[in-house]
Amino acid sequence: MNRILSRRQIEGRLAENELIVIFRDNVLRLDKWIEKHPGVFLLPSRDNTLTGLYGLLSQGAISEAFGAKDGSTTLTRNVNSYHSTETLRMMTGYRIGRINGSWVNFEPPVSGGIFRPSMEARTPSPNYRGRPCIQSLEKPATTNDGRSKVRLVRFLHDEESASRCQDLSSVKKRVDSMSTVSHALSKDPTQNTPADCAEHAEQLEIDLAVQTFPSVDSKSQREIISKYRELHRAVAEGGHYDCRYTEYAKECVRYTVLLALAITALRYEWYLSSAVLLGCFWQQIMFSAHDAGHLAITHNYTIDSLIGIFVADFCCGLSIGWWKSSHNVHHLVPNHPLHDPDIQNIPLFATSPAFFKSIVSSYYNMTFVWDKAAEIAVQYQKYTYYPIMCVARFNLYILSWLHLISARSRSLASSSWTRPVELLAMACYWYMFGYLLLWKSIPTWTLRVAFVLVSHITTMPLHIQITLSHWGMSTADLGPTESFAQKQLRTTMDIDCPAWLDFVHGGLQFQAVHHLFPRVPRHNLRRVQALVKEFCKDVGIEYVLFGFVDGNKVVLSRLEEISKQVETLSACQSWMIKTGESGLH
């Protein structure tokens, strides 16, 4: 169909819960295609919008959606980054029309967007509820009933935008910049309600992001998108999507040596040495599961899925289906408190003041309650970070099994074969590790417990690496006009290391590069990094790169900064209780 659909007509379709995506000027209705998509088809949430709304194409949750002409949208760039040329061609079969002219993204319902049915009057739609002008260190504006207004990103244009951008290239500058929020909040906590404190903290986070990165007005973002399109073309034409299988041959040799040494040490009854070697094997081989989950090895869904199941489920006892379910959403909305499951760790950790208000996760479809337990735990999160990372693998076991027995895993178009294979592979892992290794090969309970703890603690660097790239970065929501490239770079940090140490980090040290191009094999990411640096310099977006130690400092400083904000929130609440105001007594 070549008929032109107006913005108003598209809005009416969205109001009727049609699954609409605009891609390369084509308006696609994907209600039927969603059932065949190999990603996760998420279930309706309590407000009838799709859970994991932002998961979109790569996740299978394509919903009331966004689009843009000639690639000028987050979604369009996501589609290109996540899908092969063959898949993109197939999608055009679902076209119901075209758009004419430029396009501005709708705000999705889960973020407050409102869509009018077609029969309503053609008055301007309040798609984006907006936020008031930046009031840098001032109290947020309030409505007549005393409630804080919804925050708004003010566009900074041209010279103003350039002059406001901050240089955060050193650890000290970045830490000092983060601390401005807690400093502003602590000036007079008795003048705000706890809700006001949380709102104010979020506004200050937005202010900081706006002052640091290019303006999110459409003109500035279109320029970034145009440059990103050129970068994407250079990556593809440079052959960086081609997998170098000789590198994986080297990886397999490393995995085999580690596993053989672990088995040898076990046979000689060097139990703790065997545990360390097994932990190293798990830590190293999971990097290949990550690659397979992104279809970055063969770019074939079936083959890479089987590789992922063998590595993750069979060798490590972790569900690759669970990992893809959450990780793909994380890639599309990194560090968004409402949507990114990777930062939804209440009550143990909070990396954003948004969690102070008890958020409803669009991914988990549940409320992460901010209560006294969270308030206490988060105040000490700087100190609990490393100990909890030591045992983080146990949580992954739980999440894996919860996923495999959930309706979510059964909703996959490919679940008819992937889920049984995963269950079989996981059963094999626990038979080998739980029965053959722990029960049959280790003589005492003391040694069994020690073996489990040592082997799992050895994988701690992997969990540090996973959190290192995001937990010290921005969690502000700058709205739907922010481009895919800017959002990824604003929320992601890369780790600097010499090339000979790349195997230790497994490609995760190039996290920002990887977020821009998820299907690029990790052995090519160092080559792509040079192109990304040039792109960042060209568009004025900071490419955040720290060494491993400095990166840890940034994350710990971020955790400490949020803890200080919690202390101010607690002081505010204590004052309200003491004075009897706001009914908190």
Side-chain angles (χ1 to χ4, degrees), residues 322 326 330 335-352 354-355 359 361 363-364 366-371 373-375 377-378 381 384-385 388-389 392 395-396 399 463 466-468 470-471 475 555 559:
W322 158 75
S326 66
H330 155 73
N335 274 17
H336 195 302
L338 298 181
H339 310 303
D340 183 358
D342 281 15
I343 65 168
Q344 294 172 344
N345 299 296
I346 298 297
L348 296 178
F349 297 109
T351 55
S352 168
F355 292 111
I359 62 102
S361 167
Y363 176 79
Y364 290 110
M366 60 172 283
T367 300
F368 283 87
V369 178
W370 182 263
D371 53 18
E375 184 178 307
V378 169
Q381 62 182 356
T384 60
Y385 174 62
I388 291 177
M389 290 300 107
N395 183 53
L396 303 189
L399 293 173
H463 304 290
I466 291 170
T467 57
L468 193 60
H470 297 287
W471 282 22
T475 60
V555 170
L559 295 176

Side-chain angles (χ1 to χ4, degrees), residues 200-331:
H200 195 187
E202 282 191 84
Q203 180 62 61
L204 293 170
E205 295 269 339
I206 292 173
D207 294 357
L208 181 59
V210 170
Q211 294 166 9
T212 307
F213 290 88
S215 171
V216 291
D217 68 277
S218 57
K219 178 182 176 182
S220 299
Q221 294 302 306
R222 276 198 297 268
E223 182 179 351
I224 292 173
I225 291 161
S226 177
K227 297 289 186 180
Y228 176 67
R229 190 182 309 117
E230 295 175 10
L231 174 64
H232 188 275
R233 188 180 303 114
V235 170
E237 292 176 354
H240 299 303
Y241 278 108
D242 299 333
C243 182
R244 291 184 283 159
Y245 293 109
T246 54
E247 297 299 325
Y248 278 104
K250 298 175 186 177
E251 299 286 346
C252 289
V253 170
R254 186 183 305 115
Y255 307 153
T256 302
V257 169
L258 286 171
L259 183 59
L261 289 174
I263 294 172
T264 301
L266 183 66
R267 295 195 63 177
Y268 279 95
E269 299 182 356
W270 300 339
Y271 298 116
L272 297 187
S273 297
S274 176
V276 171
L277 290 165
L278 181 60
C280 290
F281 167 76
W282 285 336
Q283 188 256 358
Q284 283 288 299
I285 200 171
M286 273 304 294
F287 294 138
S288 290
H290 176 260
D291 301 341
H294 281 293
L295 308 186
I297 300 178
T298 69
H299 302 306
N300 178 284
Y301 178 79
T302 301
I303 296 174
D304 279 355
S305 293
L306 289 172
I307 293 173
I309 290 172
F310 172 77
V311 172
D313 298 72
F314 182 81
C315 295
C316 300
L318 305 175
S319 167
I320 191 67
W322 158 75
W323 178 85
K324 288 197 288 187
S325 171
S326 66
H327 191 70
N328 285 341
V329 172
H330 155 73
H331 261 264

Side-chain angles (χ1 to χ4, degrees), residues 64 75 78 166 179 204 285 333 341 344 392 395 399 404 410 489-490 506 534:
E64 295 95 346
L75 175 58
N78 289 341
Q166 298 182 10
S179 66
L204 293 170
I285 200 171
V333 280
Q344 294 172 344
N395 183 53
L399 293 173
L404 287 176
R410 293 192 294 271
L489 291 164
R490 178 173 61 84
E534 287 299 317

Side-chain angles (χ1 to χ4, degrees), residues 157-227:
H157 298 281
D158 305 327
E159 294 82 5
E160 182 188 10
S161 177
S163 65
R164 292 285 299 277
C165 288
Q166 298 182 10
D167 177 16
L168 303 180
S169 56
S170 71
V171 173
K172 185 180 186 304
K173 289 178 181 178
R174 184 164 291 275
V175 171
D176 289 345
S177 177
M178 287 190 294
S179 66
T180 58
V181 177
S182 60
H183 177 70
L185 289 177
S186 63
K187 284 184 177 179
D188 193 359
T190 63
Q191 297 303 309
N192 295 287
T193 66
D196 282 342
C197 282
E199 290 283 344
H200 195 187
E202 282 191 84
Q203 180 62 61
L204 293 170
E205 295 269 339
I206 292 173
D207 294 357
L208 181 59
V210 170
Q211 294 166 9
T212 307
F213 290 88
S215 171
V216 291
D217 68 277
S218 57
K219 178 182 176 182
S220 299
Q221 294 302 306
R222 276 198 297 268
E223 182 179 351
I224 292 173
I225 291 161
S226 177
K227 297 289 186 180

